[in-house]
Amino acid sequence: MRIQHDSYDVVVVGGGPAGSTTATLVAQRGHRVLLLERETFPRFHVGESLIPATYDVLERLGMLETMRESAFTKKYSVQFITGDGRESAPFYFHETDPSDRSQTWQVERAQMDHMLFENARAHGVEAHDGDLTVNHILFEKGRAVGVRVRFRDGSEVDVGAKVVVDATGQRALLSRRLNLREQDPFLRMASIFTHFEGARRDDGIDEGATLIIHNETRDGWFWYIPLHDDRVSVGVVGQIDYLIKG
């Protein structure tokens, strides 16, 4: 599928949750929006555990009913385990916010991100994934005015825009182009993770609880996230020097 127009009100580069959300909200205001993602959905991504604060965003996106009808595991709480194995009581979200917002979800990102991308289309966004890449931002007099799109067959097209949104995540297309990217030394983190089938989980309301397990020195922590289809996401995160080089 080729791009339908030569200019848009907004071009969003990157079709992950940030890009799809931005594109949908702008399109809801009546603007012409182009959303571009270089990978093909659904695609794997880590980061499965939603927090209650996402409720309002999902409501604005018109996604709540879709989420409620999904197979995603319902999440009501989080529990912490210290480095020496001591378990906290579960922290139930309804104890501080007794509303619909106190229940959220453990999502499988390949499905969740695809749902958000398709939801953008349903709200009038022209969305493309998989057969193209954006590797150049067009500037005039110091202002971003569009993007250059390269298709899989090698052809290219310039697309104009009043606003260009960079939602490429760690690729950081626009900030690299403007030499604005700065590394935060406290966020030089790495993670190692995988999914398991048939792993143990609690019963009832605690079945979907996120478990956070600190190591003895608190230089890193493990997560244990129950997903649907009898799978759990297990991973460890910490400073790169400690986790990878240590």
Side-chain angles (χ1 to χ4, degrees), residues 6-28:
D6 58 7
S7 66
Y8 294 79
D9 294 320
V10 178
V11 171
V12 181
V13 186
S20 293
T21 296
T22 300
T24 301
L25 295 178
V26 173
Q28 286 175 345

Side-chain angles (χ1 to χ4, degrees), residues 20-21 23-24 27 35 115-127:
S20 293
T21 296
T24 301
L35 175 62
M115 289 162 57
L116 288 167
F117 193 79
E118 291 301 322
N119 185 64
R121 280 193 173 127
H123 283 81
V125 175
E126 183 185 336

Side-chain angles (χ1 to χ4, degrees), residues 8-246:
Y8 294 79
D9 294 320
V10 178
V11 171
V12 181
V13 186
S20 293
T21 296
T22 300
T24 301
L25 295 178
V26 173
Q28 286 175 345
R29 295 285 184 167
H31 299 289
R32 178 187 288 176
V33 183
L34 176 66
L35 175 62
L36 302 171
E37 166 59 44
R38 64 177 179 173
E39 296 188 45
T40 301
F41 286 104
R43 83 286 189 269
F44 180 84
H45 206 289
V46 71
E48 300 98 343
S49 194
L50 301 186
I51 62 175
T54 58
Y55 180 97
D56 294 318
V57 178
L58 292 169
E59 185 175 41
R60 290 181 65 190
L61 293 173
M63 286 279 293
L64 281 180
E65 284 307 311
T66 301
M67 296 298 294
R68 288 168 178 154
E69 294 171 1
S70 73
F72 295 145
T73 300
K74 292 181 174 62
K75 173 185 171 184
Y76 297 91
S77 64
V78 61
Q79 187 175 6
F80 297 91
I81 302 174
T82 64
D84 58 6
R86 289 178 293 135
E87 298 183 14
S88 72
F91 289 86
Y92 294 109
F93 306 133
H94 68 258
E95 293 177 346
T96 56
D97 183 10
S99 70
D100 290 345
R101 293 170 180 79
S102 63
Q103 183 256 298
T104 186
W105 292 271
Q106 311 283 26
V107 302
E108 202 274 313
R109 283 289 303 278
Q111 297 179 30
M112 182 66 187
D113 292 7
H114 194 194
M115 289 162 57
L116 288 167
F117 193 79
E118 291 301 322
N119 185 64
R121 280 193 173 127
H123 283 81
V125 175
E126 183 185 336
H128 298 266
D129 67 309
D131 63 345
L132 51 79
T133 185
V134 174
N135 51 23
H136 188 66
I137 307 294
L138 305 176
F139 281 83
E140 288 183 4
K141 299 179 180 179
R143 180 179 180 275
V145 294
V147 299
R148 180 163 295 152
V149 182
R150 182 179 179 86
F151 295 95
R152 185 175 297 172
D153 62 7
S155 62
E156 293 183 337
V157 62
D158 289 350
V159 181
K162 297 176 183 177
V163 175
V164 176
V165 176
D166 181 3
T168 57
Q170 293 186 358
R171 188 182 172 205
L173 181 65
L174 192 55
S175 63
R176 289 179 188 272
R177 167 69 171 77
L178 297 176
N179 198 29
L180 298 175
R181 194 180 191 204
E182 297 181 8
Q183 295 286 348
D184 188 329
F186 295 103
L187 295 179
R188 296 188 70 252
M189 312 290 281
S191 64
I192 303 170
F193 59 89
T194 191
H195 287 179
F196 291 96
E197 293 182 353
R200 179 182 173 183
R201 63 179 74 194
D202 291 328
D203 297 323
I205 194 174
D206 296 324
E207 178 185 358
T210 295
L211 302 183
I212 302 297
I213 308 164
H214 289 281
N215 66 1
E216 291 183 344
T217 60
R218 299 185 69 85
D219 291 313
W221 51 273
F222 294 83
W223 72 75
Y224 189 95
I225 298 173
L227 304 174
H228 64 293
D229 293 338
D230 195 31
R231 286 177 299 123
V232 297
S233 172
V234 180
V236 60
V237 63
Q239 290 285 332
I240 292 178
D241 291 341
Y242 168 77
L243 191 61
I244 304 299
K245 301 178 181 179

